[in-house]
Amino acid sequence: MTDTDDDGDLEARLVEQESFEPAEEFVSQANVSDEAIYEEFEENWPHSWTRAADLLDWEREYSEVLDDSNEPFYEWFPDGTLNASYNCVDRHVENGDKNRVAIKWEGEHGETRTYTYQDLYREVNEFAAALRDLGVEEDDVVTLYMPMVPELPIAMLACARIGAPHSVVFAGFSADALATRMNSADSRYLVTCDGYYRRGDALDHLQKANEGLAGVDHGVDATVVADRLGDDGFGHDLKGNQHAWDDLMDDHQGDRVDPVERNAEDMLFLMYTSGTTGQPKGVKHTTGGYLAYTAWTSHAVLDLEPEDTYWCSADIGWITGHSYIVYGPLALGTTTVMYEGTPDFPERDRLWEIIEKYAVDVFYTAPTAIRAFMKWGSQFPERHDLSSLRLLGTVGEPINPRAWKWYYQHIGNEECPIVDTWWQTETGGMMVTTLPGVCTMKPGSAGPPLPGIDARVVDTSGDEVDAGRAGYLTVEKPWPGMLRTLYNNDERFIEEYWAEYSDPDADEWVYFPEDGAKIDEDGYITILGRVDDVINVSGHRLGTMEIESAIVGVEGVAEAAVVGGEHEVKGEAVYAYAILEDGYDGDDEMRDRIVAGVEDAIGPIARPQQVIFTPELPKTRSGKIMRRLLEEIANEEELGDTTTLRNPEIVEEIQNKVE
Ligand code: WT7
């Protein structure tokens, strides 16, 4: 992202300022305000991680913090047992907080639902009983294909209660994407929803779910359908093994299910994410390490207290929502806000209206949203009283200094620290960010690694680079929230994350997140973006291979290459280059078919911004597509070296076609 001059009403004095101190008022109340914590973690590592584990109630205390006898298959708190649903629900009820609000839900039309911890306890138990009754057993993977309705976290916690890992599939993904994930996880149970609202329209979600089910290779034992639309529904009849959520809850009214004692290393959930191949990766997270890590980072970085009203505007269909709408905040007994709709419905002040209405204390969002807010202008937040806010956060992609400062001035009133949190689906929780009660903030830079996190910036041979130089981000010690493997694919797990920088003969295991980064004299890390064939659209990870295989699946397309081009709001947008078979024209109809092909295979989020038809792609003499060049063309940048091309003349031809 480049900083442009037309993006807002940022105060001139802030433009030049390079660092910011957290306000004394914030520091004096912060959960963590002593910088000694960095040293403490280092000196006592890995024992220091008991600090995170101590935030949980264990059924059987662990006697060992880390078992690293089978690297890189690390085990955390391996002989401890616990239940995540118990930790997020029951214990708050037992501790006298049953009337505290757990979830405040707001629908797009402004309707609200409030669940106290007691309400959540009741619903989670009843749904856990219903799942059992449908035949779900411990370790069965239950797929949850649901929009932002309260039934989603209830279903997640019900799964956790009976020890059935969930696999949440983002509701915006297509039927094909649902089928791929159910097939990969061998999942025989689906919980879904009739539909939901988007910018005023009711969307038919069940139709899509049913199409997806038709593509599941194995038998599906049962589907549960929650009712979101009521009379606005599309009137699909439920089939033989499909059950209405409300009927099941009626049947199990008052039922209680004892939380199953899970080993710390037992799987809590699977989350599919894009990689460099066409096949999404099933990232496996476990019960003890993941829950301890999300609770700890919610405490130390988001500064959450049980009294807080906290809002993360992500979708639960992504890891951000798992870790920081559901598990972290609920483990701490906080009130977590859920909003169904978009930020611009009915007007562009919707988020600020919600913050004012619920007196939100801590707000966590994505840079892409902030760039949209900036474009819309500060008059929208100015309509509302945002003085309840104490802390702001961002996640998903780099935030440019100008957007950071706009957020700081117009949303935080220059009083709220901002945490720019770098992490990934695979890391489970935040890894590189300032501690808001301790650190100076430098807009544009995420900050130092969290205590206990050994993140470094290295060159291609694994040596640390000098301050100011670009290199690759690595993590050289394990941490409790890390993925344990890729589902059913230990080999790919090692290949994707450990092969690059580890030296197995020397027993040195280094995690490689596939991000470029640089580090400054103070150890602050600035993330430069992905170095693999993954693009980041509005903070969501998309594999170029997945999109390419969708495009070549369209009749008449011979070859395709997809790259990310810069986009003012989305960060990156999809640029698709397509070569057609003889007899096909690169006309509007072809373009529409390609766009539809991508939407069917993945979902609207992957829709190409531009489709560029070309007779050839720039290739090296060995026949590899030169993606760097395609990126430069998409970004209208000056082109780098083209001398190694087999077909240099094609470059100008393509350049002329990009709008
Ligand atoms: C990729 C992970 C973590 C939840 C959302 C995305 C990029 C994430 C930042 C940040 C710069 C960031 C990285 C990372 N990323 N946070 N604060 N600054 N880049 O999860 O889909 O697993 O994507 O998002 O490139 O590798 P994800």
Short mmCIF file of all heavy atoms in Angstrom, two decimals, residues 144 146 148 152 156 166-174 177 181 198 269-274 285 290 312-327 366 395-396 423-426 428 535-543 546 602-606:
data_model
loop_
_atom_site.label_atom_id
_atom_site.label_comp_id
_atom_site.label_asym_id
_atom_site.label_seq_id
_atom_site.Cartn_x
_atom_site.Cartn_y
_atom_site.Cartn_z
N LEU A 144 -19.17 -27.09 10.51
CA LEU A 144 -20.10 -26.01 10.82
C LEU A 144 -20.01 -24.99 9.68
O LEU A 144 -18.97 -24.34 9.51
CB LEU A 144 -19.74 -25.35 12.16
CG LEU A 144 -19.54 -26.31 13.35
CD1 LEU A 144 -19.14 -25.52 14.61
CD2 LEU A 144 -20.80 -27.12 13.65
N MET A 146 -21.70 -21.96 8.73
CA MET A 146 -22.68 -21.03 9.29
C MET A 146 -22.21 -19.59 9.22
O MET A 146 -21.02 -19.31 9.37
CB MET A 146 -22.94 -21.37 10.76
CG MET A 146 -23.48 -22.77 10.93
SD MET A 146 -23.58 -23.17 12.66
CE MET A 146 -25.25 -22.69 12.99
N MET A 148 -22.68 -15.49 10.74
CA MET A 148 -22.49 -14.93 12.08
C MET A 148 -23.80 -14.94 12.87
O MET A 148 -24.41 -13.89 13.11
CB MET A 148 -21.92 -13.52 11.95
CG MET A 148 -20.47 -13.52 11.50
SD MET A 148 -19.36 -14.15 12.78
CE MET A 148 -19.24 -12.67 13.81
N LEU A 152 -23.61 -20.47 15.93
CA LEU A 152 -22.27 -20.93 15.55
C LEU A 152 -21.37 -21.13 16.77
O LEU A 152 -20.85 -22.24 16.98
CB LEU A 152 -21.65 -20.00 14.50
CG LEU A 152 -20.21 -20.29 14.10
CD1 LEU A 152 -19.98 -21.74 13.69
CD2 LEU A 152 -19.76 -19.37 12.95
N MET A 156 -19.95 -24.68 18.29
CA MET A 156 -18.52 -24.93 18.52
C MET A 156 -18.29 -25.45 19.94
O MET A 156 -17.59 -26.43 20.18
CB MET A 156 -17.70 -23.64 18.31
CG MET A 156 -17.66 -23.16 16.87
SD MET A 156 -17.15 -21.43 16.71
CE MET A 156 -15.38 -21.56 16.93
N HIS A 166 -14.48 -29.52 15.72
CA HIS A 166 -15.27 -28.86 14.68
C HIS A 166 -14.38 -28.39 13.55
O HIS A 166 -13.17 -28.19 13.73
CB HIS A 166 -16.10 -27.70 15.24
CG HIS A 166 -15.34 -26.69 16.05
ND1 HIS A 166 -14.46 -25.78 15.48
CD2 HIS A 166 -15.35 -26.42 17.38
CE1 HIS A 166 -13.97 -25.01 16.43
NE2 HIS A 166 -14.47 -25.38 17.60
N SER A 167 -15.01 -28.27 12.39
CA SER A 167 -14.33 -27.70 11.23
C SER A 167 -15.28 -26.66 10.68
O SER A 167 -16.29 -26.98 10.06
CB SER A 167 -14.06 -28.81 10.20
OG SER A 167 -13.71 -28.24 8.95
N VAL A 168 -15.01 -25.39 10.99
CA VAL A 168 -15.90 -24.32 10.55
C VAL A 168 -15.52 -23.92 9.13
O VAL A 168 -14.35 -23.66 8.85
CB VAL A 168 -15.82 -23.10 11.49
CG1 VAL A 168 -16.74 -21.98 11.00
CG2 VAL A 168 -16.20 -23.48 12.92
N VAL A 169 -16.49 -23.88 8.25
CA VAL A 169 -16.26 -23.44 6.88
C VAL A 169 -16.94 -22.08 6.71
O VAL A 169 -18.16 -21.96 6.95
CB VAL A 169 -16.82 -24.46 5.86
CG1 VAL A 169 -16.63 -23.95 4.43
CG2 VAL A 169 -16.13 -25.82 6.04
N PHE A 170 -16.19 -21.08 6.35
CA PHE A 170 -16.69 -19.70 6.17
C PHE A 170 -17.94 -19.72 5.29
O PHE A 170 -17.93 -20.33 4.21
CB PHE A 170 -15.57 -18.88 5.53
CG PHE A 170 -15.94 -17.48 5.13
CD1 PHE A 170 -16.50 -16.60 6.05
CD2 PHE A 170 -15.73 -17.03 3.83
CE1 PHE A 170 -16.83 -15.31 5.68
CE2 PHE A 170 -16.05 -15.74 3.45
CZ PHE A 170 -16.61 -14.87 4.39
N ALA A 171 -19.00 -19.06 5.73
CA ALA A 171 -20.29 -19.11 5.02
C ALA A 171 -20.19 -18.52 3.61
O ALA A 171 -20.97 -18.86 2.73
CB ALA A 171 -21.36 -18.38 5.83
N GLY A 172 -19.23 -17.64 3.38
CA GLY A 172 -19.07 -17.05 2.06
C GLY A 172 -18.40 -17.98 1.06
O GLY A 172 -18.36 -17.69 -0.13
N PHE A 173 -17.87 -19.10 1.55
CA PHE A 173 -17.28 -20.06 0.63
C PHE A 173 -18.37 -20.78 -0.16
O PHE A 173 -19.52 -20.88 0.28
CB PHE A 173 -16.43 -21.09 1.38
CG PHE A 173 -15.02 -20.64 1.68
CD1 PHE A 173 -14.38 -21.03 2.84
CD2 PHE A 173 -14.32 -19.83 0.78
CE1 PHE A 173 -13.08 -20.63 3.12
CE2 PHE A 173 -13.02 -19.42 1.05
CZ PHE A 173 -12.40 -19.82 2.22
N SER A 174 -17.98 -21.30 -1.32
CA SER A 174 -18.95 -21.94 -2.21
C SER A 174 -19.28 -23.36 -1.77
O SER A 174 -18.63 -23.93 -0.88
CB SER A 174 -18.36 -21.98 -3.61
OG SER A 174 -17.26 -22.86 -3.62
N ALA A 177 -16.36 -25.65 -2.17
CA ALA A 177 -15.38 -25.51 -1.09
C ALA A 177 -15.85 -26.29 0.15
O ALA A 177 -15.04 -26.91 0.84
CB ALA A 177 -15.17 -24.04 -0.75
N ARG A 181 -13.85 -29.64 1.83
CA ARG A 181 -13.44 -29.68 3.23
C ARG A 181 -14.08 -30.85 3.97
O ARG A 181 -13.46 -31.48 4.81
CB ARG A 181 -13.74 -28.35 3.90
CG ARG A 181 -12.73 -27.28 3.47
CD ARG A 181 -13.25 -25.86 3.63
NE ARG A 181 -12.26 -24.86 3.22
CZ ARG A 181 -11.94 -24.59 1.95
NH1 ARG A 181 -12.53 -25.24 0.95
NH2 ARG A 181 -11.03 -23.68 1.67
N ARG A 198 -27.54 -9.87 4.05
CA ARG A 198 -26.38 -9.10 3.57
C ARG A 198 -26.89 -7.85 2.88
O ARG A 198 -27.59 -7.95 1.88
CB ARG A 198 -25.57 -9.91 2.56
CG ARG A 198 -24.34 -10.59 3.12
CD ARG A 198 -23.29 -9.63 3.66
NE ARG A 198 -22.25 -10.32 4.42
CZ ARG A 198 -22.39 -10.74 5.67
NH1 ARG A 198 -23.50 -10.56 6.34
NH2 ARG A 198 -21.40 -11.35 6.29
N PHE A 269 -10.03 -28.45 17.16
CA PHE A 269 -10.69 -28.17 15.88
C PHE A 269 -9.71 -28.25 14.72
O PHE A 269 -8.49 -28.25 14.90
CB PHE A 269 -11.38 -26.80 15.88
CG PHE A 269 -10.45 -25.61 15.99
CD1 PHE A 269 -9.86 -25.06 14.86
CD2 PHE A 269 -10.18 -25.04 17.22
CE1 PHE A 269 -9.02 -23.96 14.95
CE2 PHE A 269 -9.34 -23.94 17.33
CZ PHE A 269 -8.76 -23.39 16.19
N LEU A 270 -10.32 -28.28 13.54
CA LEU A 270 -9.58 -28.20 12.28
C LEU A 270 -9.98 -26.89 11.63
O LEU A 270 -11.13 -26.49 11.71
CB LEU A 270 -10.06 -29.28 11.33
CG LEU A 270 -9.41 -30.63 11.32
CD1 LEU A 270 -10.11 -31.49 10.28
CD2 LEU A 270 -7.94 -30.50 10.99
N MET A 271 -9.04 -26.26 10.97
CA MET A 271 -9.38 -25.04 10.24
C MET A 271 -8.64 -25.12 8.91
O MET A 271 -7.41 -25.21 8.88
CB MET A 271 -8.94 -23.84 11.05
CG MET A 271 -8.93 -22.52 10.34
SD MET A 271 -10.27 -21.48 10.92
CE MET A 271 -11.35 -21.55 9.51
N TYR A 272 -9.39 -25.09 7.83
CA TYR A 272 -8.76 -25.20 6.51
C TYR A 272 -8.27 -23.83 6.06
O TYR A 272 -8.93 -22.81 6.24
CB TYR A 272 -9.74 -25.78 5.49
CG TYR A 272 -9.81 -27.27 5.64
CD1 TYR A 272 -10.71 -27.86 6.53
CD2 TYR A 272 -8.93 -28.09 4.96
CE1 TYR A 272 -10.74 -29.24 6.71
CE2 TYR A 272 -8.94 -29.47 5.13
CZ TYR A 272 -9.85 -30.03 6.00
OH TYR A 272 -9.86 -31.39 6.18
N THR A 273 -7.09 -23.83 5.49
CA THR A 273 -6.53 -22.57 4.98
C THR A 273 -5.82 -22.84 3.66
O THR A 273 -5.50 -23.98 3.34
CB THR A 273 -5.59 -21.91 6.00
OG1 THR A 273 -5.23 -20.61 5.54
CG2 THR A 273 -4.32 -22.72 6.21
N SER A 274 -5.62 -21.77 2.89
CA SER A 274 -5.04 -21.93 1.56
C SER A 274 -3.53 -22.06 1.63
O SER A 274 -2.88 -21.42 2.44
CB SER A 274 -5.38 -20.72 0.70
OG SER A 274 -6.76 -20.65 0.53
N HIS A 285 -5.54 -27.83 15.50
CA HIS A 285 -5.26 -27.20 16.80
C HIS A 285 -5.78 -28.09 17.93
O HIS A 285 -6.78 -28.79 17.78
CB HIS A 285 -5.89 -25.81 16.88
CG HIS A 285 -5.10 -24.78 16.13
ND1 HIS A 285 -3.84 -24.39 16.52
CD2 HIS A 285 -5.37 -24.08 14.99
CE1 HIS A 285 -3.37 -23.48 15.67
NE2 HIS A 285 -4.28 -23.28 14.73
N TYR A 290 -3.71 -24.57 22.61
CA TYR A 290 -4.44 -23.53 21.88
C TYR A 290 -5.25 -22.67 22.85
O TYR A 290 -5.22 -21.44 22.77
CB TYR A 290 -5.36 -24.16 20.84
CG TYR A 290 -6.31 -23.16 20.20
CD1 TYR A 290 -5.89 -22.37 19.13
CD2 TYR A 290 -7.60 -22.99 20.68
CE1 TYR A 290 -6.75 -21.43 18.56
CE2 TYR A 290 -8.47 -22.05 20.12
CZ TYR A 290 -8.03 -21.27 19.05
OH TYR A 290 -8.87 -20.35 18.50
N CYS A 312 -14.60 -8.01 18.29
CA CYS A 312 -13.74 -8.31 17.16
C CYS A 312 -14.67 -8.44 15.96
O CYS A 312 -15.59 -9.26 15.97
CB CYS A 312 -13.00 -9.62 17.40
SG CYS A 312 -12.27 -10.33 15.92
N SER A 313 -14.43 -7.61 14.94
CA SER A 313 -15.38 -7.55 13.82
C SER A 313 -15.10 -8.58 12.73
O SER A 313 -15.67 -8.52 11.66
CB SER A 313 -15.39 -6.14 13.23
OG SER A 313 -14.17 -5.92 12.54
N ALA A 314 -14.23 -9.54 13.01
CA ALA A 314 -13.96 -10.60 12.02
C ALA A 314 -15.15 -11.56 11.94
O ALA A 314 -16.10 -11.46 12.70
CB ALA A 314 -12.71 -11.37 12.42
N ASP A 315 -15.06 -12.51 11.03
CA ASP A 315 -16.06 -13.56 10.92
C ASP A 315 -15.51 -14.80 11.62
O ASP A 315 -14.32 -15.11 11.50
CB ASP A 315 -16.33 -13.86 9.44
CG ASP A 315 -17.55 -14.73 9.24
OD1 ASP A 315 -17.53 -15.92 9.64
OD2 ASP A 315 -18.54 -14.23 8.67
N ILE A 316 -16.38 -15.52 12.32
CA ILE A 316 -15.93 -16.71 13.04
C ILE A 316 -15.45 -17.79 12.07
O ILE A 316 -14.73 -18.71 12.44
CB ILE A 316 -17.05 -17.21 13.99
CG1 ILE A 316 -17.29 -16.18 15.09
CG2 ILE A 316 -16.70 -18.55 14.63
CD1 ILE A 316 -18.43 -16.52 16.04
N GLY A 317 -15.80 -17.65 10.80
CA GLY A 317 -15.34 -18.59 9.77
C GLY A 317 -13.84 -18.54 9.54
O GLY A 317 -13.29 -19.38 8.83
N TRP A 318 -13.15 -17.55 10.09
CA TRP A 318 -11.69 -17.47 9.98
C TRP A 318 -11.08 -17.69 11.35
O TRP A 318 -11.75 -17.59 12.37
CB TRP A 318 -11.26 -16.08 9.47
CG TRP A 318 -11.98 -15.66 8.23
CD1 TRP A 318 -13.00 -14.76 8.17
CD2 TRP A 318 -11.75 -16.10 6.88
NE1 TRP A 318 -13.42 -14.62 6.87
CE2 TRP A 318 -12.67 -15.43 6.06
CE3 TRP A 318 -10.84 -16.99 6.30
CZ2 TRP A 318 -12.72 -15.62 4.68
CZ3 TRP A 318 -10.90 -17.19 4.93
CH2 TRP A 318 -11.82 -16.51 4.13
N ILE A 319 -9.78 -17.91 11.38
CA ILE A 319 -9.12 -18.19 12.66
C ILE A 319 -9.27 -17.01 13.64
O ILE A 319 -9.39 -17.21 14.84
CB ILE A 319 -7.63 -18.54 12.45
CG1 ILE A 319 -7.01 -19.10 13.74
CG2 ILE A 319 -6.84 -17.33 11.99
CD1 ILE A 319 -7.44 -20.47 14.11
N THR A 320 -9.28 -15.78 13.12
CA THR A 320 -9.40 -14.62 14.02
C THR A 320 -10.65 -14.74 14.87
O THR A 320 -10.62 -14.47 16.08
CB THR A 320 -9.46 -13.31 13.20
OG1 THR A 320 -8.33 -13.28 12.33
CG2 THR A 320 -9.41 -12.10 14.10
N GLY A 321 -11.74 -15.15 14.25
CA GLY A 321 -12.99 -15.29 15.00
C GLY A 321 -12.95 -16.46 15.98
O GLY A 321 -13.49 -16.37 17.09
N HIS A 322 -12.30 -17.56 15.60
CA HIS A 322 -12.17 -18.69 16.53
C HIS A 322 -11.43 -18.23 17.79
O HIS A 322 -11.88 -18.45 18.90
CB HIS A 322 -11.34 -19.81 15.89
CG HIS A 322 -12.11 -20.69 14.95
ND1 HIS A 322 -12.85 -20.22 13.90
CD2 HIS A 322 -12.24 -22.05 14.91
CE1 HIS A 322 -13.39 -21.24 13.26
NE2 HIS A 322 -13.04 -22.36 13.85
N SER A 323 -10.26 -17.61 17.57
CA SER A 323 -9.38 -17.31 18.69
C SER A 323 -9.84 -16.10 19.48
O SER A 323 -9.72 -16.07 20.70
CB SER A 323 -7.95 -17.06 18.19
OG SER A 323 -7.47 -18.21 17.51
N TYR A 324 -10.36 -15.07 18.76
CA TYR A 324 -10.60 -13.80 19.45
C TYR A 324 -12.04 -13.29 19.38
O TYR A 324 -12.28 -12.13 19.71
CB TYR A 324 -9.58 -12.77 18.96
CG TYR A 324 -8.16 -13.21 19.27
CD1 TYR A 324 -7.26 -13.53 18.26
CD2 TYR A 324 -7.74 -13.36 20.60
CE1 TYR A 324 -5.97 -13.97 18.55
CE2 TYR A 324 -6.45 -13.81 20.90
CZ TYR A 324 -5.57 -14.10 19.87
OH TYR A 324 -4.30 -14.54 20.16
N ILE A 325 -12.99 -14.15 18.95
CA ILE A 325 -14.40 -13.86 19.26
C ILE A 325 -14.86 -14.92 20.25
O ILE A 325 -15.54 -14.61 21.23
CB ILE A 325 -15.32 -13.91 18.01
CG1 ILE A 325 -14.92 -12.82 17.01
CG2 ILE A 325 -16.78 -13.75 18.42
CD1 ILE A 325 -15.73 -12.85 15.71
N VAL A 326 -14.44 -16.16 20.01
CA VAL A 326 -14.97 -17.26 20.80
C VAL A 326 -14.01 -17.68 21.93
O VAL A 326 -14.26 -17.35 23.10
CB VAL A 326 -15.32 -18.47 19.89
CG1 VAL A 326 -15.93 -19.60 20.72
CG2 VAL A 326 -16.30 -18.05 18.80
N TYR A 327 -12.94 -18.39 21.60
CA TYR A 327 -12.21 -19.09 22.66
C TYR A 327 -11.48 -18.19 23.66
O TYR A 327 -11.63 -18.35 24.87
CB TYR A 327 -11.27 -20.14 22.06
CG TYR A 327 -12.03 -21.34 21.55
CD1 TYR A 327 -12.14 -21.61 20.19
CD2 TYR A 327 -12.68 -22.18 22.45
CE1 TYR A 327 -12.86 -22.71 19.74
CE2 TYR A 327 -13.41 -23.28 22.00
CZ TYR A 327 -13.50 -23.54 20.65
OH TYR A 327 -14.21 -24.63 20.22
N ALA A 366 -9.63 -5.18 10.96
CA ALA A 366 -8.63 -5.44 9.93
C ALA A 366 -8.24 -4.16 9.20
O ALA A 366 -9.08 -3.27 9.02
CB ALA A 366 -9.18 -6.46 8.94
N VAL A 395 -5.41 -6.80 12.57
CA VAL A 395 -4.85 -8.10 12.19
C VAL A 395 -5.15 -8.41 10.74
O VAL A 395 -6.15 -7.94 10.20
CB VAL A 395 -5.43 -9.23 13.05
CG1 VAL A 395 -6.94 -9.32 12.94
CG2 VAL A 395 -4.80 -10.58 12.69
N GLY A 396 -4.29 -9.19 10.12
CA GLY A 396 -4.60 -9.77 8.82
C GLY A 396 -3.65 -9.38 7.72
O GLY A 396 -3.45 -10.11 6.77
N TRP A 423 0.02 -12.67 13.04
CA TRP A 423 -0.09 -14.11 13.32
C TRP A 423 -0.73 -14.80 12.14
O TRP A 423 -0.94 -14.16 11.11
CB TRP A 423 -0.81 -14.38 14.64
CG TRP A 423 -2.20 -13.83 14.79
CD1 TRP A 423 -2.56 -12.50 14.89
CD2 TRP A 423 -3.41 -14.57 14.88
NE1 TRP A 423 -3.92 -12.40 15.05
CE2 TRP A 423 -4.47 -13.65 15.05
CE3 TRP A 423 -3.73 -15.93 14.86
CZ2 TRP A 423 -5.80 -14.05 15.17
CZ3 TRP A 423 -5.05 -16.33 14.99
CH2 TRP A 423 -6.07 -15.38 15.15
N GLN A 424 -1.02 -16.07 12.27
CA GLN A 424 -1.56 -16.85 11.16
C GLN A 424 -2.52 -17.92 11.67
O GLN A 424 -2.48 -18.26 12.85
CB GLN A 424 -0.44 -17.63 10.45
CG GLN A 424 0.78 -16.87 10.09
CD GLN A 424 1.79 -17.79 9.41
OE1 GLN A 424 2.34 -18.68 10.02
NE2 GLN A 424 2.01 -17.56 8.12
N THR A 425 -3.28 -18.48 10.75
CA THR A 425 -4.13 -19.63 11.08
C THR A 425 -3.30 -20.67 11.84
O THR A 425 -3.74 -21.23 12.83
CB THR A 425 -4.68 -20.25 9.78
OG1 THR A 425 -5.37 -19.23 9.05
CG2 THR A 425 -5.61 -21.40 10.08
N GLU A 426 -2.10 -20.89 11.36
CA GLU A 426 -1.25 -21.94 11.91
C GLU A 426 -0.71 -21.62 13.30
O GLU A 426 -0.42 -22.53 14.07
CB GLU A 426 -0.04 -22.18 10.99
CG GLU A 426 -0.38 -22.81 9.65
CD GLU A 426 -0.77 -21.78 8.59
OE1 GLU A 426 -1.09 -20.63 8.94
OE2 GLU A 426 -0.76 -22.15 7.40
N GLY A 428 -2.25 -20.07 15.68
CA GLY A 428 -3.31 -20.16 16.67
C GLY A 428 -3.64 -18.83 17.32
O GLY A 428 -4.80 -18.56 17.63
N ILE A 535 -2.01 -14.99 -1.93
CA ILE A 535 -2.29 -13.56 -1.89
C ILE A 535 -3.26 -13.26 -0.77
O ILE A 535 -3.95 -14.14 -0.27
CB ILE A 535 -2.79 -13.03 -3.25
CG1 ILE A 535 -3.99 -13.81 -3.74
CG2 ILE A 535 -1.68 -13.08 -4.27
CD1 ILE A 535 -4.41 -13.39 -5.13
N ASN A 536 -3.27 -12.01 -0.36
CA ASN A 536 -4.00 -11.61 0.82
C ASN A 536 -5.04 -10.57 0.43
O ASN A 536 -4.73 -9.39 0.27
CB ASN A 536 -3.00 -11.06 1.84
CG ASN A 536 -3.63 -10.83 3.19
OD1 ASN A 536 -4.81 -10.50 3.29
ND2 ASN A 536 -2.85 -10.97 4.25
N VAL A 537 -6.27 -11.01 0.22
CA VAL A 537 -7.34 -10.11 -0.20
C VAL A 537 -8.19 -9.77 1.02
O VAL A 537 -8.77 -10.66 1.63
CB VAL A 537 -8.22 -10.77 -1.29
CG1 VAL A 537 -9.35 -9.84 -1.70
CG2 VAL A 537 -7.37 -11.13 -2.50
N SER A 538 -8.23 -8.51 1.37
CA SER A 538 -8.98 -8.06 2.55
C SER A 538 -8.63 -8.88 3.79
O SER A 538 -9.49 -9.22 4.59
CB SER A 538 -10.49 -8.15 2.31
OG SER A 538 -10.84 -7.38 1.20
N GLY A 539 -7.37 -9.20 3.93
CA GLY A 539 -6.95 -9.95 5.12
C GLY A 539 -7.26 -11.43 5.04
O GLY A 539 -7.07 -12.15 6.01
N HIS A 540 -7.71 -11.92 3.90
CA HIS A 540 -8.01 -13.34 3.78
C HIS A 540 -7.06 -13.99 2.80
O HIS A 540 -6.77 -13.47 1.73
CB HIS A 540 -9.44 -13.56 3.34
CG HIS A 540 -10.41 -12.97 4.29
ND1 HIS A 540 -10.33 -13.18 5.64
CD2 HIS A 540 -11.45 -12.13 4.11
CE1 HIS A 540 -11.28 -12.52 6.24
NE2 HIS A 540 -11.97 -11.86 5.35
N ARG A 541 -6.60 -15.14 3.19
CA ARG A 541 -5.56 -15.81 2.43
C ARG A 541 -6.15 -16.64 1.30
O ARG A 541 -7.02 -17.46 1.52
CB ARG A 541 -4.81 -16.72 3.39
CG ARG A 541 -3.44 -17.05 2.90
CD ARG A 541 -3.01 -18.32 3.51
NE ARG A 541 -2.74 -18.19 4.94
CZ ARG A 541 -2.09 -19.13 5.60
NH1 ARG A 541 -1.67 -20.21 4.99
NH2 ARG A 541 -1.87 -18.98 6.88
N LEU A 542 -5.67 -16.41 0.10
CA LEU A 542 -6.14 -17.18 -1.05
C LEU A 542 -4.93 -17.73 -1.79
O LEU A 542 -3.97 -17.02 -2.05
CB LEU A 542 -6.95 -16.30 -1.99
CG LEU A 542 -8.22 -15.67 -1.43
CD1 LEU A 542 -8.77 -14.62 -2.38
CD2 LEU A 542 -9.27 -16.75 -1.18
N GLY A 543 -5.00 -19.00 -2.15
CA GLY A 543 -3.91 -19.61 -2.91
C GLY A 543 -4.10 -19.34 -4.39
O GLY A 543 -5.19 -19.55 -4.92
N GLU A 546 -5.25 -22.43 -6.32
CA GLU A 546 -6.68 -22.77 -6.21
C GLU A 546 -7.48 -21.98 -7.25
O GLU A 546 -8.39 -22.51 -7.89
CB GLU A 546 -7.21 -22.34 -4.84
CG GLU A 546 -7.05 -23.31 -3.73
CD GLU A 546 -7.47 -22.67 -2.41
OE1 GLU A 546 -6.65 -21.97 -1.78
OE2 GLU A 546 -8.63 -22.84 -2.02
N ILE A 602 -14.66 -21.37 -5.26
CA ILE A 602 -14.15 -20.86 -3.98
C ILE A 602 -15.17 -19.97 -3.28
O ILE A 602 -15.53 -20.21 -2.14
CB ILE A 602 -12.83 -20.09 -4.19
CG1 ILE A 602 -11.80 -21.01 -4.86
CG2 ILE A 602 -12.29 -19.58 -2.84
CD1 ILE A 602 -10.60 -20.31 -5.42
N GLY A 603 -15.62 -18.95 -3.96
CA GLY A 603 -16.58 -18.02 -3.36
C GLY A 603 -16.30 -16.63 -3.88
O GLY A 603 -15.25 -16.38 -4.50
N PRO A 604 -17.22 -15.70 -3.64
CA PRO A 604 -17.08 -14.34 -4.18
C PRO A 604 -15.80 -13.64 -3.73
O PRO A 604 -15.29 -12.77 -4.43
CB PRO A 604 -18.29 -13.60 -3.62
CG PRO A 604 -19.26 -14.66 -3.21
CD PRO A 604 -18.48 -15.88 -2.90
N ILE A 605 -15.26 -14.04 -2.60
CA ILE A 605 -14.07 -13.37 -2.09
C ILE A 605 -12.89 -13.50 -3.05
O ILE A 605 -12.00 -12.65 -3.09
CB ILE A 605 -13.71 -13.92 -0.70
CG1 ILE A 605 -12.51 -13.17 -0.15
CG2 ILE A 605 -13.44 -15.40 -0.69
CD1 ILE A 605 -12.24 -13.42 1.27
N ALA A 606 -12.89 -14.56 -3.86
CA ALA A 606 -11.76 -14.80 -4.77
C ALA A 606 -12.01 -14.24 -6.17
O ALA A 606 -11.20 -14.42 -7.08
CB ALA A 606 -11.47 -16.30 -4.86
#
